[in-house]
Amino acid sequence: MNLKKLNILLVLFITLLGVNNIFYASETESEVDERFVPESTLQKSVEKAVEDTNFNGSVMISKNNGDSYDVLYEGAAGSDGGYDMDTIYDVGSVSKLYTTTAIMMLQEQGKLNYNDKITKYFDNVPKSKQDVTIKMLLTHTSGIYAEENDNHNVTKENEIKRILNSDQKFKPDSNYLYSNAGFTLLAAIIEEASGQTYEEFMF
C-alpha cells in the first residue's frame, strides 16, 4: 500500500471515530453484513451514534465488492436537524490533513523539501518572511497570520499576495500561532511542486 492510500485510509478512520457506535474493528465482514442489513438496522445504528456523539452530517456505509463498492446505507443525520444528502458542508480544517499528506508525498517523491524556503515558490516575498520554510508552515511556527478573507471570489494570486503582505507576528520558528493562511500557502506550493492543480493532485 503506498503512502497516499495509507494516509487517506488513516484520515477516513479518524473521521469515523466520531460515529464509533457504527463500526467495531474486531468484527468480521460477515458480522458487519449481518448487523447492518436491513436498512432499518443501519438507520437505528446511525441514530444511536447521533445521540451519543452529537454527530451532524451525511453518512454512507459501503462494502468493498472487488473493483467497486456496494452502498449498504446512505442518509443524513444530525442532532440539530435540517440535513439531507444534498447538504453542502464546510469541511474546515479537515482539509489540513489532506494538505499535509500531499506535502509528505511530494517530499517522498523528491519534488520538494521540508526545509525549502517559501522564496523558492513565491516571488516578492517580504524580507520578514524570507526565512519561512515549508516545515514552519506545517507546524504553525512561521509567524505568518492573516485574517480570514470573506471574499470567496478572490483569485489565488491575489490571496497569496494578501497573505505575504500581512503582518509578521514573530520571527520565523521562534513561537507558535495557528495559521490558516499558512496552509493556503502550502496548497499553492503543492500546485507549484506537482505541476497540477490542488484538486488534480489530490484525486
Side-chain angles (χ1 to χ4, degrees):
M1 179 179 294
N2 62 34
L3 180 61
K4 183 172 184 179
K5 289 182 178 178
L6 177 62
N7 282 284
I8 288 174
L9 287 173
L10 177 60
V11 169
L12 291 175
F13 174 74
I14 292 171
T15 302
L16 286 171
L17 289 180
V19 287
N20 58 1
N21 286 301
I22 295 179
F23 290 106
Y24 294 87
S26 63
E27 290 179 327
T28 65
E29 183 176 302
S30 61
E31 288 171 334
V32 171
D33 287 348
E34 182 179 352
R35 181 177 180 185
F36 287 139
V37 178
E39 186 172 311
S40 60
T41 304
L42 294 170
Q43 182 64 40
K44 288 178 181 178
S45 296
V46 171
E47 289 173 355
K48 183 68 167 61
V50 170
E51 290 175 6
D52 292 348
T53 65
N54 294 320
F55 172 80
N56 295 283
S58 298
V59 177
M60 184 182 75
I61 301 171
S62 62
K63 173 186 173 184
N64 188 334
N65 189 24
D67 295 332
S68 63
Y69 289 85
D70 292 333
V71 176
L72 302 178
Y73 171 83
E74 62 179 6
S79 55
D80 295 337
Y83 297 88
D84 60 40
M85 292 306 291
D86 294 322
T87 300
I88 297 174
Y89 303 96
D90 182 353
V91 297
S93 289
V94 170
S95 61
K96 288 184 174 67
L97 299 172
Y98 293 94
T99 299
T100 300
T101 300
I103 291 291
M104 293 168 62
M105 290 169 56
L106 290 166
Q107 157 90 7
E108 187 179 60
Q109 295 169 11
K111 294 183 178 179
L112 57 74
N113 188 286
Y114 297 138
N115 294 318
D116 286 344
K117 294 184 178 182
I118 62 174
T119 51
K120 180 176 178 179
Y121 303 95
F122 305 114
D123 297 325
N124 303 315
V125 177
K127 186 175 180 180
S128 63
K129 296 178 175 64
Q130 289 182 0
D131 288 331
V132 171
T133 65
I134 289 176
K135 181 180 178 180
M136 294 175 198
L137 295 177
L138 287 169
T139 58
H140 301 280
T141 58
S142 69
I144 293 176
Y145 181 83
E147 295 293 337
E148 295 300 307
N149 192 344
D150 293 331
N151 179 8
H152 297 293
N153 293 319
V154 69
T155 65
K156 181 179 79 172
E157 290 74 18
N158 286 342
E159 185 65 1
I160 290 172
K161 183 178 179 181
R162 184 183 77 87
I163 292 171
L164 291 177
N165 288 295
S166 65
D167 292 338
Q168 183 71 16
K169 296 299 184 180
F170 50 79
K171 183 179 178 181
D173 206 26
S174 67
N175 209 328
Y176 172 90
L177 179 64
Y178 191 87
S179 175
N180 289 323
F183 270 74
T184 299
L185 295 182
L186 286 171
I189 289 172
I190 289 168
E191 294 192 337
E192 184 69 23
S194 69
Q196 297 176 284
T197 66
Y198 182 90
E199 290 80 8
E200 287 171 343
F201 184 78
M202 297 305 294
F203 296 102

